Amino acid sequence: MTRTLLATLALLVALAAPASAQSSKKTTFTIKGAGFGHGVGMSQYGALGYAQNGWDAARILGHYYTGTSLGTTDPNKKVRVQLIGQTGSARISGARQAGSRKLDPTKTYVARRRALTEVELLQGNRRVAVFKAPLQVAGEGDVTTLGGVGSFRGVMELKPGTFSGLTVTNVVGLDDYLQGVVPAESPASWPAEALRAQAIAARTYAITTAKSADFDHYADTRSQVYKGVGIEQPSTNAAVADTRGQIVTYQGQPVVTYFFSTSGGRTESVENTSLGREPRPWLKSVEDEFDDVSPRHRWTTKLTMASASKKLGGLVKGSFKGIRVTRRGESPRIVSAEVVGSRGVSVTDGATLRARLGLFDTWASFASISGEKAEPTEGDGSGGTTAPPGFSALLRPIGVLRGDVIAGSRNVTIQARVNGRWVEVGTTKTRRGAYRWPTATPGTYRAVVGGAYGPAVRIG
């Protein structure tokens, strides 16, 4: 009995001995988010969910664009879409006419800038003609192919760029344009009512926005994605035809109908985003109950502190410590935030963070959690570890898990690695951004804040 008691005492004394030299502090940086896109107006995956639950296009649009109704516009009005902003030359095939000159649709022609106001057209090494800009080229069957870009309805308009090269713009009827937009924005396999809602939203957006005096829209996400004839599908063409000329109106006037991929469960009011600083009554935050059909409904991104610092660039003062959100919108997407560095903070907004860090959305939360082993101090308890009966006075911490946290919560859960899995062993709170957890049991530990995990630290 005496030998057993002495052996146990010796073990407890060994456990109470000071921990070995402190390990270097490691930090994890976790971003948890929801949604994909700017968050304003119609969620395309949300529209899919509503259509799957029996809603028609008018009801879907009325939900996302508060207080609106459907009106009509001329489906044949012309839309100008910039296909190429600048190029040295443009290859054109399927063309039947350039200006007043007839062409052979079976041949390929090359257009080049000539002086400040002219465009020359070549076939092989032969110059076909020189035209005053802008040159309009029409295709056989109203379709022309632009080399390296695609085939498009309407006419191609070519003219010298401001400083060099050529610009190429597609001038096309509104609903012909939509036939190349709808399948690029929403999968053709989606329910008809979701595709009809997309067609009406895209048609309204097309007539209520313009990018410059020279053209109305880009062919990419700077406006809405447009891929021309090559992407057209029977189901999406039917959605355009079924809604011919229909648009979204507020108090009888067409209004801007922003749309995006995934809301995360709630859209955002436009004044809380980079799309506008003034409230718009039809662009209010609304619940989006069926958006969970999207693969981006919830997402998590993990970066090293070094990688995050590099992406944030000049926003980091000193060494990067984390990001603190200071104001959220209704969804709750980020309106303003602080990038915390060792030498101070930089104020920024959600759109900037999304662009710098490559996030799907501005609905995001950030957690930087550091962890290291430290020596126990006189005031440390045992971290919740219970000593064997009769030996509680002898049991002392063998080490401390400590670290700093910049996150949206002060609550810290401590986990230990037990038999190959993480098990909760206690909770604590941060104090002035720091946590401390003493333990009398050797093992591997980590801190968890808001579902984000700190680094694993071996103690003992």
Side-chain angles (χ1 to χ4, degrees):
M1 179 67 179
T2 302
R3 289 181 178 177
T4 302
L5 177 60
L6 291 173
T8 304
L9 287 170
L11 175 60
L12 291 172
V13 169
L15 291 175
S20 59
Q22 295 182 10
S23 60
S24 60
K25 185 185 293 187
K26 298 178 181 179
T27 304
T28 60
F29 183 60
T30 305
I31 309 167
K32 288 186 170 292
F36 187 6
H38 50 63
V40 179
M42 185 180 74
S43 157
Q44 292 160 311
Y45 270 97
L48 166 64
Y50 282 118
Q52 290 174 334
N53 282 272
W55 289 33
D56 65 16
R59 188 180 178 191
I60 292 170
L61 293 166
H63 172 71
Y64 287 112
Y65 306 112
T66 306
T68 62
S69 57
L70 295 184
T72 58
T73 191
D74 179 5
N76 296 312
K77 69 188 306 178
K78 299 302 180 184
V79 178
R80 298 175 59 82
V81 187
Q82 185 186 82
L83 299 179
I84 300 178
Q86 181 177 314
T87 183
S89 61
R91 288 184 296 109
I92 298 170
S93 57
R96 61 176 173 78
Q97 188 168 338
S100 59
R101 188 177 187 113
K102 291 185 178 180
L103 302 178
D104 184 347
T106 65
K107 298 185 182 301
T108 297
Y109 298 87
V110 175
R112 295 191 309 205
R113 174 193 182 104
R114 179 183 170 88
L116 295 175
T117 60
E118 295 178 331
V119 176
E120 67 174 350
L121 196 66
L122 301 96
Q123 199 277 306
N125 294 322
R126 180 178 65 87
R127 177 186 291 167
V128 176
V130 175
F131 303 87
K132 287 289 185 182
L135 169 63
Q136 289 197 331
V137 178
E140 184 78 1
D142 198 38
V143 175
T144 308
T145 299
L146 179 61
V149 182
S151 298
F152 301 89
R153 300 183 186 278
V155 301
M156 297 293 177
E157 186 176 277
L158 303 94
K159 66 178 184 178
T162 303
F163 300 107
S164 63
L166 287 175
T167 64
V168 183
T169 301
N170 182 202
V171 184
V172 59
L174 177 58
D175 275 23
D176 283 347
Y177 165 65
L178 290 179
Q179 290 184 176
V181 169
V182 175
E185 289 286 356
S186 294
S189 60
W190 280 10
E193 293 302 332
L195 296 178
R196 289 170 183 151
Q198 178 66 75
I200 297 170
R203 183 183 291 112
T204 311
Y205 183 86
I207 68 168
T208 56
T209 60
K211 295 300 180 180
S212 78
D214 289 334
F215 64 93
D216 301 317
H217 300 290
Y218 293 102
D220 55 34
T221 55
R222 289 172 291 179
S223 295
Q224 47 191 358
V225 181
Y226 171 55
K227 292 184 178 291
V229 175
I231 200 173
E232 291 181 12
Q233 297 293 327
S235 61
T236 52
N237 282 357
V240 173
D242 292 344
T243 63
R244 181 175 172 80
Q246 290 184 348
I247 56 171
V248 176
T249 65
Y250 182 82
Q251 296 182 346
Q253 297 299 314
V255 289
V256 178
T257 47
Y258 294 116
F259 55 86
F260 63 103
S261 171
T262 304
S263 75
R266 191 169 190 87
T267 68
E268 187 54 75
S269 297
V270 68
E271 66 268 23
N272 293 326
T273 74
S274 61
L275 294 180
R277 290 292 177 254
E278 296 297 322
R280 294 289 182 262
W282 67 93
L283 295 175
K284 291 293 187 184
S285 175
V286 297
E287 185 181 0
D288 201 9
E289 60 183 315
F290 299 120
D291 179 82
D292 58 1
V293 296
S294 170
R296 301 297 185 198
H297 184 69
R298 292 289 182 272
W299 47 266
T300 299
T301 297
K302 296 181 179 181
L303 298 173
T304 65
M305 296 295 278
S307 174
S309 180
K310 184 177 180 180
K311 290 174 181 287
L312 292 167
L315 292 174
V316 180
K317 296 180 179 180
S319 59
F320 177 59
K321 298 297 183 183
I323 296 173
R324 184 183 298 119
V325 177
T326 54
R327 184 185 164 210
R328 292 187 181 274
E330 298 175 58
S331 58
R333 286 168 171 82
I334 298 169
V335 177
S336 60
E338 295 175 339
V339 177
V340 182
S342 60
R343 296 180 181 175
V345 301
S346 296
V347 177
T348 188
D349 56 32
T352 301
L353 290 176
R354 182 188 177 202
R356 294 284 185 96
L357 296 173
L359 306 180
F360 295 115
D361 203 301
T362 60
W363 183 334
S365 60
F366 307 92
S368 54
I369 308 170
S370 69
E372 66 177 343
K373 177 178 64 176
E375 300 278 353
T377 62
E378 194 171 310
D380 287 323
S382 62
T385 302
T386 303
F391 295 98
S392 58
L394 298 174
L395 190 61
R396 295 289 184 269
I398 62 168
V400 174
L401 175 66
R402 72 176 184 186
D404 300 312
V405 174
I406 297 178
S409 173
R410 293 183 57 227
N411 298 320
V412 182
T413 298
I414 304 299
Q415 293 182 339
R417 191 76 170 169
V418 178
N419 297 325
R421 62 190 184 93
W422 290 101
V423 177
E424 180 179 334
V425 294
T427 59
T428 186
K429 289 182 179 293
T430 59
R431 183 178 181 183
R432 296 176 182 173
Y435 71 92
R436 187 177 180 89
W437 179 262
T439 180
T441 305
T444 301
Y445 296 87
R446 69 181 181 184
V448 183
V449 181
Y453 306 109
V457 177
R458 179 70 187 176
I459 298 177

